[in-house]
Amino acid sequence: MSKIQMVDLRSQYDKIKEEIDLGIQEVIDTTAFINGPQVRAFAQELAEYNQVAHVIPCANGTDALQIAMMALDFKPGDEVIVPTFTYVATVEVIALLGLKPVFIDVTPDTYELESELLENYLTSKTVGIVPVHLYGQCSNMEAILKFATKHGLKVIEDTAQAIGADYTFSDGKVAKAGTMGNVGTTSFFPSKNLGCFGDGGAIFTNDSELAAKLQMIANHGQSKKYYHDSIGVNSRLDTLQAAILRVKLKHLNKYSEARNSVADKYDEAFLGHKQIQTPIRVKNSTHVFHQYTVQIKNGKRDDLKAYLQEKGVPSMVYYPVPLHLQTAYQTFGYKKGDFPIAEDLCTQVLSLPIHTEMKIEDQDYIIENIKNFFNE
Ligand SMILES: *Cc1c(COP(=O)(O)O)cnc(C)c1O
């Protein structure tokens, strides 16, 4: 048996090697390394896939968030509501731009910002909300958008973990994750659901004026070469990465299905288990299972993780510390106890191996060892 991994990128590559290698070679042959035709083509293909008017490729998912906030004209001192239980990038760019992150707690079983609490965090300085579609399932976009519209706030969806997920509104309208707010951002980090062979990211919007501005900011604030209308950044998707992503985008739906099959099997194996809470699936969103994250209810999460490690089964804690308690964010004046749900989750969550190439015998082995841990 080969080593079990959280994500098996090698086996995935082996299956599409020919196509990927051809794509890479084509870029090398033409030496169009920066802004080659593959970048444009990929943006168009992704726009079509997502049913969104504009896709602006950029260098990574963190830049995507930063560029989005710059293009929305958020100014120093403005407040942005953001879940405290997310990856640091979401909050980092808020702080970097001199904005104030206003943390909000998350729901205990779907890990999304608690939309019922939004009202409590609204001030005259609030300009935006950043829902994070954590682990691959959409936040409660209907409630968030309703609140944002009522109060004139912008919504930036952090879709780094949920590309391809479908959200259904109560009127039956269906939209892809990242295309419902004013702006959506995503990451093509290798282990993400649509991952390239290095760093990459993209920004989505249906607003043509905003799209032009996003494009301009990502490109040194220039709309015409050497004429700079605003302060921008240098954030590009490499042509090589675009060539790889064009191939992988064609497989994205199949990849999501493969992840769902793994999730279904875990669900079934742990059904009714008293110490393991499996992911709760909401009815408004499909789940693309970037992570399969369980909650360990008996306080033995870390023991389980160590036990699995010994048996050759990797697992990860996403995330061990909520952002309001991170050293870097102490200046914003939060303390332990401010967001009890997120704080509890940090001690209970455990993400199990899930990827597109999971072998049945490997998953059986993982499940067996998890069950053994509780039976010992
Ligand atoms: C991965 C990730 C990012 C950042 O993406 P990078 O491409 O690594 O910069 C942002 N937000 C969330 C929720 C992520 O998971």
Side-chain angles (χ1 to χ4, degrees):
M1 197 165 78
S2 57
K3 199 162 163 271
I4 297 176
Q5 303 171 77
M6 285 299 286
V7 179
D8 183 356
L9 296 176
R10 175 70 216 202
S11 305
Q12 190 189 60
Y13 165 64
D14 285 342
K15 287 190 185 157
I16 51 172
K17 181 177 181 338
E18 221 167 292
E19 244 186 312
I20 293 270
D21 291 2
L22 257 171
I24 291 174
Q25 193 58 49
E26 192 176 44
V27 177
I28 296 172
D29 288 343
T30 57
T31 70
F33 298 118
I34 301 290
N35 290 334
Q38 289 85 346
V39 178
R40 206 54 256 140
F42 169 64
Q44 274 165 15
E45 286 154 8
L46 184 55
E48 208 163 293
Y49 175 87
N50 258 347
Q51 294 290 295
V52 69
H54 306 277
V55 170
I56 296 102
C58 64
N60 57 67
T62 310
D63 276 8
L65 285 159
Q66 179 175 338
I67 294 162
M69 290 185 207
M70 290 171 77
L72 288 169
D73 284 327
F74 290 178
K75 296 282 186 300
D78 286 350
E79 297 180 3
V80 180
I81 300 175
V82 60
T84 184
F85 189 67
T86 175
Y87 181 57
V88 68
T90 324
V91 174
E92 194 168 42
V93 299
I94 297 173
L96 262 180
L97 293 172
L99 314 169
K100 185 176 168 200
V102 174
F103 291 114
I104 184 167
D105 216 339
V106 294
T107 56
D109 45 17
T110 52
Y111 314 102
E112 58 184 302
L113 73 77
E114 179 52 271
S115 51
E116 304 253 307
L117 295 176
L118 280 168
E119 198 85 49
N120 301 355
Y121 298 98
L122 187 71
T123 77
S124 58
K125 289 187 173 165
T126 313
V127 292
I129 308 172
V130 188
V132 180
H133 305 315
L134 205 71
Y135 303 148
Q137 185 168 249
C138 292
S139 306
N140 184 354
M141 288 308 292
E142 184 141 352
I144 293 165
L145 290 171
K146 193 169 160 210
F147 183 85
T149 304
K150 183 172 167 199
H151 299 287
L153 311 177
K154 304 292 187 195
V155 174
I156 302 171
E157 297 173 69
D158 184 341
T159 315
Q161 301 189 4
I163 195 160
D166 284 315
Y167 184 86
T168 306
F169 289 87
S170 51
D171 65 1
K173 202 176 126 250
V174 179
K176 286 276 181 210
T179 69
M180 296 171 271
N182 299 84
V183 191
T185 64
T186 201
S187 163
F188 305 123
F189 186 83
S191 62
K192 297 281 157 85
N193 288 30
L194 180 60
C196 59
F197 289 5
D199 277 306
I203 312 168
F204 313 132
T205 187
N206 281 309
D207 176 337
S208 298
E209 212 172 296
L210 189 58
K213 210 160 161 192
L214 289 160
Q215 184 77 65
M216 184 172 82
I217 290 170
N219 183 25
H220 295 295
Q222 61 188 358
S223 44
K224 195 167 113 195
K225 208 164 171 66
Y226 306 124
Y227 292 81
H228 306 275
D229 302 334
S230 68
I231 294 176
V233 296
N234 172 20
S235 189
R236 295 183 282 244
L237 179 69
D238 289 345
T239 312
L240 280 167
Q241 303 303 347
I244 292 159
L245 288 164
R246 288 188 74 191
V247 175
K248 290 185 72 173
L249 177 60
K250 288 190 275 182
H251 299 279
L252 183 58
N253 284 345
K254 207 179 68 200
Y255 289 163
S256 297
E257 282 167 28
R259 289 173 177 276
N260 269 277
S261 301
V262 176
D264 290 345
K265 189 170 155 101
Y266 279 136
D267 278 357
E268 200 179 312
F270 304 133
L271 185 72
H273 196 292
K274 286 197 181 56
Q275 323 290 357
I276 305 173
Q277 185 185 314
T278 54
I280 306 291
R281 306 179 191 207
V282 300
K283 70 174 192 327
N284 286 22
S285 175
T286 61
H287 205 317
V288 293
F289 284 102
H290 174 60
Q291 298 297 342
Y292 185 89
T293 304
V294 296
Q295 291 175 36
I296 303 303
K297 294 295 191 188
N298 64 352
K300 297 218 165 112
R301 191 265 319 265
D302 294 338
D303 293 344
L304 170 61
K305 188 173 189 309
Y307 177 88
L308 292 175
Q309 188 72 42
E310 245 173 62
K311 305 286 179 188
V313 175
S315 61
M316 293 291 283
V317 175
Y318 301 115
Y319 298 92
V321 182
L323 292 168
H324 70 280
L325 297 180
Q326 295 280 358
T327 308
Y329 297 94
Q330 287 316 293
T331 46
F332 295 103
Y334 291 96
K335 59 180 189 316
K336 207 168 162 64
D338 285 344
F339 303 104
I341 294 170
E343 290 170 25
D344 274 355
L345 288 174
C346 289
T347 69
Q348 295 175 356
V349 290
L350 190 66
S351 299
L352 305 178
I354 190 165
H355 52 80
T356 60
E357 315 299 319
M358 180 70 86
K359 293 198 206 78
I360 289 174
E361 62 270 27
D362 284 354
Q363 197 178 357
D364 285 340
Y365 179 81
I366 296 166
I367 290 166
E368 182 191 312
N369 277 290
I370 293 171
K371 287 186 170 166
N372 286 347
F373 170 80
F374 290 104
N375 291 338
E376 270 176 9

